[in-house]
Amino acid sequence: MKILLVSGLGPNFKNADYLHATLFDRPRSAGLSAEAFDGFDIDQLGFVHRGRTYPLLRPRRGAIPHLTTFTLENLIKTCGMPYHILRTERIWRGEPIALRGPFDLVLVSTTYVWDWQTLNRLLDRVLALAGGPPLFLGGQFSNLKFERIMAARPEVDGIVRGDGERAIPQLVDAVLRTGRLEQVDNLVYRADGAVRANALRNIDLDRECVTDLVGEFPVIPYESMRGCPFSCKFCSFPAASPTWRYKSAETIAGDWCRYRQRNGARFIKAMDSIFTVPPKRLTRLLELLPQVGVAWEGYSRANVIKDAALLERLAEAHCRFLSIGFESMSPNSLAAMKKLVSVEQTHRAFELLSKGPVGYRCSFMTGYPGETPEDFALTRSFLVDKYRGHFMLSVFSLSDEQMPVWADAARYRIEILDTDNVDYSWRHSGMDIATAIALNHDALDTVRERNDSAVLMLWQADYQHWLAPHLSSATNLQIEKTVERIAFLARDEDNPHDRRAMLTLYLHRLAAHGIVVDSQKSFTQDSLLEA
């Protein structure tokens, strides 16, 4: 008997259309390089470190384990069954795939699926590859949309909702041995021509959410909580896991210490909705983590960052980076989102972060229901005139019908014009999708042109971070900004003479940081480890 596990990342990242017709647009970059830059491309950029020349843009090497995949793999291992893992990235790339079946059970993660088109594409390919063994889903998307999936896709035999630590081993045992699906926690399944749902049972995260890795992993993703204590109207985290639960500070410190000793971990990516709450746990973590000696990053909220002393303590606990959803600089938009953070708290957090010892990335959105162009102008002005550091600016997505914002559909006159393409066919009382995209792109263009200190974080996902790990974070930000400006020259500068002049200027700026151009790309094959 053999199990097929299908898990991995999504097909792309939202807002990737902003990179169209730039040197980050990989399907077209070769043509752009030849046409607009006389053969120069950003892959020719490199730097010398300890006598070796490395490419500046080093693709991610897979050294970071995928949290969902290795968690599921560990659960399957406890069942004592042979298994095969099919990475979803291979499906999105359209690779030829030959599976070593036959399989007796197929498990598909939908954690990185965000719309129906992606789910159908994934299921169609898996069914074509694996044939007809029992097929079960799990993860965020199927958890939230289990009823519709079971109605629309009869090939799906069941869906695990909520925690899988008990449910997955129980499911494997039921499918391959006992046939008693009614005994599987959290399972929705077909029986006697009907869809049945078993009781939902939460696990104890301190005792039952334990993931051990075999091998060397310098960077490890980590989960310390499920659900969220807040109810922002654009987020379905609470719907996916209505009971907010979290590991203790002692458990977290013990896990990280074990990863450091057994797996050589140097960096932990805390993937929780918010790592810096509750306050008592954070206080205890700041006492324990300095001795653990592992660097880390996590998500926070703006109103947690109250004073410089907290940032100093975070730095002493080896926090290197915080991701914070500022979302908007409009009081009207923040109130509509039920963000429970004021513009004043956001400004205070930004000033503290921009002067403090911890790196940060702040995210914003365009087009939240009810937001007008005048509301968004406040966010745009902040990004163009005041912001410093990494930022993200996304177009609001309406594809998730479990978001609490749908309760405001009448208030904001939310309409979907194409139910098969929800993200690109909405309008509401403040604006429509075309306006939101235009405002978003205009703001990004203006920030690139006018703000030397604000660095868009979008294209970096394909590459190791930092680009030049031997240099300071401040220098890396300058390098990223200059690389972005080079990559966008084909779109920003219509005049060939001006384009060549700007390319020369930007290459000169990179050279000041030790970045060289090697047209032959004769770089060392040794890979620097990701920071």
Side-chain angles (χ1 to χ4, degrees), residues 232-527:
C232 303
K233 290 194 171 185
F234 55 80
C235 179
S236 57
F237 254 99
S241 185
T243 303
W244 178 48
R245 297 155 288 144
Y246 52 87
K247 292 183 178 181
S248 68
E250 287 76 14
T251 296
I252 294 169
D255 287 346
W256 293 10
C257 190
R258 187 173 69 256
Y259 287 146
R260 177 176 59 81
Q261 294 172 350
R262 295 184 184 179
N263 306 107
R266 301 200 315 268
F267 196 89
I268 302 291
K269 291 178 174 285
M271 309 296 287
D272 306 300
S273 55
I274 306 167
F275 190 71
T276 56
V277 295
K280 287 184 178 179
R281 189 184 79 164
L282 177 61
T283 298
R284 182 62 175 146
L285 282 170
L286 296 180
E287 296 170 352
L288 296 173
L289 293 183
Q291 289 73 45
V292 173
V294 177
W296 58 277
E297 66 176 44
Y299 290 83
S300 184
R301 283 169 63 87
N303 56 352
V304 171
I305 312 301
K306 296 179 179 180
D307 53 50
L310 175 63
L311 290 174
E312 292 293 339
R313 294 199 66 196
L314 284 164
E316 291 169 1
H318 309 292
C319 177
R320 297 290 179 264
F321 202 83
L322 290 175
S323 297
I324 303 179
F326 282 6
E327 317 307 354
S328 175
M329 301 307 290
S330 162
N332 294 334
S333 296
L334 290 175
M337 295 173 187
K338 198 181 175 182
K339 182 67 179 176
L340 302 182
V341 176
S342 69
V343 172
E344 292 73 22
Q345 289 171 322
T346 298
H347 275 291
R348 179 186 64 190
F350 172 69
E351 289 303 318
L352 290 168
L353 287 165
S354 64
K355 299 172 184 176
V358 176
Y360 59 92
R361 177 197 69 193
C362 301
S363 57
F364 304 81
M365 67 176 75
T366 313
Y368 184 82
E371 181 174 72
T372 65
E374 291 74 22
D375 287 317
F376 179 70
L378 298 173
T379 301
R380 181 187 187 277
S381 176
F382 177 71
L383 287 170
V384 172
D385 299 328
K386 298 180 180 179
Y387 194 82
R388 302 181 295 279
H390 279 125
F391 76 97
M392 296 179 69
L393 178 62
S394 305
V395 175
F396 179 69
S397 168
L398 268 168
S399 64
D400 191 342
E401 59 263 35
Q402 270 69 35
M403 291 187 300
V405 68
W406 283 106
D408 295 329
R411 178 183 179 185
Y412 296 124
R413 302 197 300 276
I414 299 173
E415 294 182 68
I416 302 298
L417 306 180
D418 181 357
T419 56
D420 291 328
N421 194 21
V422 173
D423 265 348
Y424 293 94
S425 64
W426 56 256
R427 63 187 177 197
H428 54 67
S429 59
M431 65 180 75
D432 58 19
I433 180 63
T435 302
I437 292 174
L439 290 172
N440 177 281
H441 289 193
D442 172 72
L444 293 174
D445 288 345
T446 308
V447 171
R448 181 172 59 258
E449 176 186 354
R450 290 172 43 185
N451 189 336
D452 290 340
S453 301
V455 180
L456 173 65
M457 186 169 266
L458 180 63
W459 54 270
Q460 295 91 328
D462 290 334
Y463 307 107
Q464 292 188 34
H465 180 78
W466 294 92
L467 296 184
H470 61 299
L471 301 177
S472 69
S473 57
T475 300
N476 270 279
L477 285 168
Q478 295 175 34
I479 291 171
E480 288 180 26
K481 184 76 181 186
T482 306
V483 170
E484 179 191 311
R485 283 171 164 165
I486 290 173
F488 275 80
L489 272 176
R491 214 167 72 189
D492 291 344
E493 292 290 347
D494 293 329
N495 185 293
H497 178 270
D498 292 341
R499 189 187 308 128
R500 285 192 294 269
M502 293 305 298
L503 175 61
T504 300
L505 172 65
Y506 293 146
L507 291 178
H508 180 73
R509 290 182 183 176
L510 289 176
H513 300 304
I515 308 304
V516 299
V517 176
D518 183 348
S519 59
Q520 302 301 313
K521 303 179 187 177
S522 54
F523 301 119
T524 180
Q525 297 301 306
D526 295 338
S527 176

Side-chain angles (χ1 to χ4, degrees), residues 125-138:
R125 187 74 193 279
V126 170
L127 289 165
L129 289 167
L135 172 67
F136 291 82
L137 311 183

Side-chain angles (χ1 to χ4, degrees), residues 3-8 66-79 81 83-88 107-111 136-140 160 162-169 171-172 210-213 223 226:
I3 300 169
L4 174 64
L5 170 62
V6 183
S7 181
H66 178 238
L67 178 62
T68 302
T69 303
F70 80 66
T71 300
L72 291 170
E73 183 179 7
N74 273 13
L75 294 175
I76 293 172
K77 284 179 179 178
T78 65
C79 304
M81 296 285 183
Y83 63 91
H84 175 77
I85 298 177
L86 171 58
R87 308 280 178 176
T88 51
L107 303 175
V108 178
S109 168
T110 66
T111 297
F136 291 82
L137 311 183
Q140 176 91 343
V160 174
D163 299 337
E165 279 77 3
R166 289 192 215 125
I168 296 299
L171 176 62
V172 171
V210 179
T211 302
D212 288 321
L213 293 169
E223 178 188 36
R226 292 189 181 159

